[in-house]
Amino acid sequence: MEVLMSAMIGVLTSIGIYLILRARTFPLVIGLTLLSYAVNLFLFASGRLGVGQPAIVSDSSMGYADPLPQALVLTAIVISFAMTAFVIMLSLKAYAELGTDQVDGRQDEGDAS
Amino acid sequence: MSQLAILPILVPLLAGTLLLLTRRWIPLDLRRGLNLSAAFLQLALAALLLSRVETGDILVHALGNWPAPYGIVLVADRLAAWMLLITAALACFALLFAVAKGTDRGSRHFHPLFQLQLFGLNGAFLTGDLFNLFVFFEILLLASYGLLLHGGGAERVRAGLHFVALNLVGSTLFLFAAGTLYGTLGTLNMADLAVAVSRVSEENLGPVRVGGLLLFGVFALKTALFPLHLWLPTTYAATSAAVAALFAIMTKVGAYCLLRVGTLVFGPDAGPLAGLYADWLLPLAVATLILGSLGALAATRLRTQVGYLVLVSVGLLLTALGLSTRSGMGAGLYYLAHTTFATAALFLIAELIANGRGQLSDRLDPGPVIPLAGWLGGLFFVSGLLMTGLPPLSGFVGKLAVLRATLETPIWPWLTAAILGSSLLGIVAVVRSGSLLFLRAEGRAEDPPPVSAPLSNILPILALMGICLALTVWAEPVLKLMTEVGEQLLRPGDYIQAVLAPNAGRASP
């Protein structure tokens, strides 16, 4: 499970970074979203991975699921949700104002893939 | 009386919410009055708070009465109170300028956003919890995105997009850092983190160092430290003057966090990780200082130039703080207050100059004579003195204090050379733009813009300069207070005890 989890975080992060470096607003938004997914998983894993752990500590249980990372992830999700909405609106506004989706407002530079 | 520590957060939150809910119903004048009174109330609160903690007490407010490290705490020590005071004073005059200039007419959201920005700033200064710091960062950033884009326009949108994207990546890094630290140390309370870092086991040393340096990267981005400084000049040049003036404190939030985390979590007691930030801070700060001066020299627009001068001041500030000595921190914190007000004043003046030049705006080319050239020229001259640190004003006092503090280190010749060299470049840059704007001006603008209530525009600038003058006149007591702030920072034990064992601290003063 650890390998799967870390591979997932790594893949999401690298795709996110690649998309952000594309310097176009739509990939930028997707890249930022993927990066926030990666960080959410990362935060979640920082409380240690475990299956079937009880949420409430009791004498009979061997361990418990750390509630703090879950609270952190929840906060992070809400914030990244709001930020994504904001970036989408800003990208639309930038497209309307600058007439191109290149982040510097430059016209197309042969990136017509 | 620990509730005093939460009031600077509650006031802007409530005022901002009220302004947001009533933005359609109550007239603009009333909203302006509400916003201004909330800002001045925060100024009074910050002054009260500083007078309470000036003796060295540390006010700790446990939210919901959950004791640290389980609950979230708000901590007001000398440094936090000083930063609050600077923020509140700056906000009052930036807001007065916005009202006088009519910057707030564009949309109904200016006033709520302004208060929410203050909410985020005050929260970031007061919180004693790393994740809470992230949340307050997001609040102040989201409000700043709104303020930055206020008024619209292609240039503003482009600069805004860069600023937003960079800061979102920064926020993600912050979360990675917080996750790393929580995963290895099991806490996010800063005082508790400090204890955990000092006891960190050999196998966790690497991850903790990575987490700490990731945080350093995030704060460096907020402070615009080299090589993460490129966003600052364009962003500050694109926005409206009142907002740019308020943003003068934004880079200082990063500096504050570097100082707080650098002295508390990775402070002198941190064992193998002691001074983790100090090693990086000093060289990067000097590089920022030099690059900022070169940028100011090369700038073709006045507001970009002011943006680069902000970088110079960031470099000098962090050079002083990076010395990690009592006198260095004292000098740095004095300079921080001075440079915040001086930068804000210069941004406001730059806007008035740009307005008076019609089509040319703030481009550094000879143009028509500006209306009110005498007043604006005089103000530009004084703020140039302030920014470049020439005698007799507070810039000189601050720079002298920093120079004196550098003499205590073995590498002082390099530091003094960098500081004095960048001062020289700064002077050349400011003199060049001053002579281009005022001395080589000829004729009248073709359609001179109507000068609306010039005096009320100039009053906030005069007030900001008045603060700098006060900092000059009372330089000695302020510097003494700042040295005491530095002393408190270099003894993180007090902070840790105040947060983690509040009752024990009260018994033995």
Side-chain angles (χ1 to χ4, degrees), chain A residues 13 20 25 28 32 35 39 42-43 46 48 66 68-69 72 75-76 79 83 86-87 90 93-94 97-98 103-105, chain B residues 131 134-135 138 142 145-146 149 152-154 157-158 160-162 164-165 168-169 172 175-176 178-180 182-184 188:
Chain A
T13 312
I20 287 171
T25 50
L28 176 76
L32 286 171
L35 212 53
V39 83
F42 182 79
L43 275 182
S46 74
R48 302 294 180 269
D66 193 342
L68 193 77
L72 301 186
T75 317
I79 290 177
M83 289 297 178
F86 183 81
V87 183
L90 185 61
K93 196 170 155 62
E97 295 258 0
L98 306 172
V103 290
D104 287 326
Chain B
F131 197 78
F134 163 75
V135 174
E138 291 306 299
L142 200 46
Y145 302 154
L149 296 166
V157 170
R158 182 168 50 217
L161 192 63
H162 293 182
V164 172
L168 284 181
V169 176
T172 314
L175 283 177
F176 272 117
T180 314
Y182 182 77
T184 45
L188 284 169

Side-chain angles (χ1 to χ4, degrees), chain B residues 311-389:
Chain B
L311 277 184
V312 175
S313 69
V314 163
L316 185 60
L317 168 67
L318 292 176
T319 309
L321 298 180
L323 293 173
S324 317
T325 59
R326 216 173 60 110
S327 53
M329 287 188 186
L333 290 168
Y334 177 89
Y335 187 76
L336 187 152
H338 147 77
T339 183
T340 308
F341 296 123
T343 317
L346 197 49
F347 270 120
L348 300 184
I349 296 166
E351 166 113 337
L352 292 183
I353 292 175
N355 282 348
R357 303 182 79 221
Q359 289 286 315
L360 265 176
S361 185
D362 63 339
R363 273 195 293 278
L364 291 175
D365 296 313
V369 175
I370 307 160
L372 287 172
W375 268 100
L376 288 177
L379 289 175
F380 184 81
F381 176 70
V382 176
S383 62
L385 286 187
L386 281 169
M387 283 306 285
T388 51

Side-chain angles (χ1 to χ4, degrees), chain B residues 148 155 159 163 224 228-239 244 251 291-292 295-296 299 301-312 347 362:
Chain B
L148 176 71
E155 192 196 351
F163 181 66
L228 301 168
H229 63 283
L230 291 166
W231 59 273
L232 190 138
T234 42
T235 310
Y236 280 32
T239 185
T251 52
L291 276 177
R301 309 188 57 154
L302 181 58
R303 267 185 276 183
T304 318
Q305 187 175 56
V306 184
Y308 278 110
L309 288 176
V310 174
L311 277 184
V312 175
F347 270 120
D362 63 339

